[in-house]
Amino acid sequence: MIPWLTVVGIGEDGYPGLGKSARRALLEAQVVIGGPRQLALLPPCICAVREPWPQPFALAPALDRRGTPVCVLASGDPMLFGVGASLARQLSADELQVLPAPSSYSLAAARLGWPLQEVALLSVVARPLAGVVRHLHPGARLLVLSNDGHSPAALAALLVDQGFGASQLQVLEHLGGPLERRIAGRAEAWSLTEAAALNLVAIEVLSETGEAGLPLTPGLPDSAYRHDGQLTKRDVRAVTLARLAPRPGELLWDVGAGCGSIGIEWARSHPGCRVLAIEADAGRQAHILHNRDQLGAPALQLVAGQAPEVLAGLATPDAIFIGGGLTAPGVLDACWTALRPGGRLVANAVTLQTEAALVAFRERHGGDLTRLQVAQAQPLGAFDTWRAALPITLLEVVKP
């Protein structure tokens, strides 16, 4: 089968920078779809109908012409945070051919002399800035595709807020074209309020205060969270995440999420991990949203409401953690019913009543019960003694 849809990557150098295959596809196309900036790069010899993407963006203009010779224009490499990846999810491989140009990342790495395999490639194009946070560690190098001309200033402010004001920023505008320009400065002294709309930000993460950034392992310090006391403490949290065992692409339900600590650390474990944090209390909902953005877990989505009623219709989870509401009628059963076969359910109990609910559930469905008790050394007069936290009963069960 000959592909009817060709996605052509085009750079700032426009039509002259395209290879023969890309030029031939454009000359033979009946329709060329792209952004206004990309369509404007085409010469008069391209006779196809030129159609800009609709607002809000939708793939329908291309997909509705299945079988007709169509070209889609995209910036740089269409398969790297581009429309090519979106189209490839909708079409079979024999319907689609992709002709990439050098990506902005490749051009930036070439300009800066940065080995691309040693750099984190990120995008804030229609994505929250919070996704950058988990990559902030001294010595890290980041290449960030900007959403618009205000993104560099927003990234500089984020770095300062996270304790990395000494970081070096370089804004690379119009890479590969005649208007290419580079602007450099420190995050804490950044004064450029707006750059060119088409830009990429290169960041060398630095800290003068010894700030090391947060680790990616579970068990962040309790002080990292804003909360009202409803917080799974650090050591118990680390054990709980180990039992939940997050894997790339999986979805967690964090039921009775409190301040969101379990769901946030699930999401931080891998960019593909997703979370639905279910919480009924308005104050705790605000804590969840604050902690999500401050700790770099944009894949967490808040579901405001009371379990089990609010659980109906939610996406099927791969794992469920129940940290609150265990004694509410129907919560455990509703979660167990919703969990996919082979999924993991972990629940923590502090009171005798919640522990009894877990014991009864285990009698019906199996699983392992673990008692966790943590003690910390604290002063006692001129000496130290052990102060034990409340014991936690943890249920872990895999659905057949």
Side-chain angles (χ1 to χ4, degrees):
M1 180 177 179
I2 299 175
W4 60 270
L5 179 59
T6 301
V7 184
V8 174
I10 190 167
E12 282 288 286
D13 50 358
Y15 190 77
L18 297 178
K20 291 182 179 179
S21 296
R23 293 187 186 192
R24 183 182 305 111
L26 287 166
L27 288 167
E28 295 176 353
Q30 294 183 15
V31 178
V32 178
I33 305 170
R37 183 183 62 83
Q38 289 128 7
L39 292 173
L41 295 171
L42 297 180
C45 65
I46 304 301
C47 300
V49 174
R50 305 183 188 194
E51 183 175 334
W53 289 112
Q55 297 297 330
F57 178 81
L59 295 175
L63 298 177
D64 289 349
R65 291 185 168 91
R66 184 178 255 105
T68 301
V70 174
C71 270
V72 165
L73 287 179
S75 294
D77 185 347
M79 300 303 290
L80 192 58
F81 293 115
V83 69
S86 300
L87 288 165
R89 297 186 188 103
Q90 305 292 325
L91 299 171
S92 61
D94 57 1
E95 292 183 276
L96 174 70
Q97 67 172 337
V98 180
L99 305 174
S103 69
S104 296
Y105 296 127
S106 296
L107 293 172
R111 303 290 189 271
L112 299 168
W114 290 4
L116 202 54
Q117 72 273 12
E118 299 173 7
V119 178
L121 308 181
L122 309 174
S123 173
V124 294
V125 178
R127 293 174 171 85
L129 286 175
V132 176
V133 173
R134 68 187 297 276
H135 299 275
L136 298 181
H137 305 280
R141 286 176 167 178
L142 318 178
L143 292 176
V144 186
L145 285 177
S146 288
N147 188 58
D148 53 34
H150 299 286
S151 295
L155 287 165
L158 176 72
L159 289 162
V160 173
D161 180 63
Q162 291 287 329
F164 295 99
S167 299
Q168 297 292 324
L169 276 69
Q170 297 188 65
V171 179
L172 296 98
E173 301 176 335
H174 297 290
L175 276 164
L179 299 178
E180 183 172 321
R181 183 175 71 145
R182 190 186 308 184
I183 305 160
R186 286 162 61 99
E188 60 195 5
W190 194 259
S191 59
L192 181 68
T193 56
E194 185 173 5
L198 185 66
N199 76 82
L200 176 146
V201 183
I203 303 172
E204 290 188 88
V205 182
L206 301 171
S207 171
E208 291 182 348
T209 62
E211 177 67 48
L214 292 171
L216 298 178
T217 51
L220 297 182
D222 293 345
S223 59
Y225 292 95
R226 180 184 291 178
H227 61 91
D228 62 357
Q230 288 297 108
L231 169 71
T232 302
K233 297 300 189 293
R234 181 179 194 173
D235 298 293
V236 174
R237 195 183 328 127
V239 173
T240 301
L241 265 295
R243 300 299 181 92
L244 285 168
R247 298 178 179 89
E250 289 190 328
L251 173 66
L252 171 74
W253 283 5
D254 185 358
V255 180
C259 71
S261 62
I262 293 293
I264 286 168
E265 296 191 22
W266 169 284
R268 282 175 56 86
S269 69
H270 189 275
C273 287
R274 299 164 293 129
V275 181
L276 295 179
I278 295 96
E279 177 56 54
D281 183 89
R284 292 169 188 165
Q285 292 166 13
H287 292 327
I288 290 171
L289 295 177
H290 168 84
N291 293 330
R292 176 194 67 183
D293 295 340
Q294 191 66 21
L295 299 176
L300 182 147
Q301 178 183 347
L302 174 65
V303 178
Q306 186 76 48
E309 292 79 13
V310 77
L311 303 179
L314 299 182
T316 301
D318 301 286
I320 297 176
F321 172 67
I322 308 176
L326 270 171
T327 56
V331 169
L332 265 169
D333 289 337
C335 287
W336 186 248
T337 299
L339 186 64
R340 71 161 176 83
R344 292 92 64 199
L345 185 147
V346 175
N348 289 354
V350 178
T351 67
L352 291 175
Q353 287 76 16
T354 52
E355 182 179 275
L358 295 186
V359 171
F361 184 86
R362 178 174 178 262
E363 289 176 353
R364 300 195 305 273
H365 301 290
D368 297 320
L369 283 173
T370 304
R371 172 64 63 89
L372 301 175
Q373 186 155 13
V374 178
Q376 292 182 318
Q378 295 183 4
L380 179 65
F383 301 94
D384 295 307
T385 190
W386 293 109
R387 299 287 187 188
L390 292 173
I392 302 292
T393 299
L394 182 150
L395 171 70
E396 175 192 5
V397 58
V398 176
K399 188 173 181 178

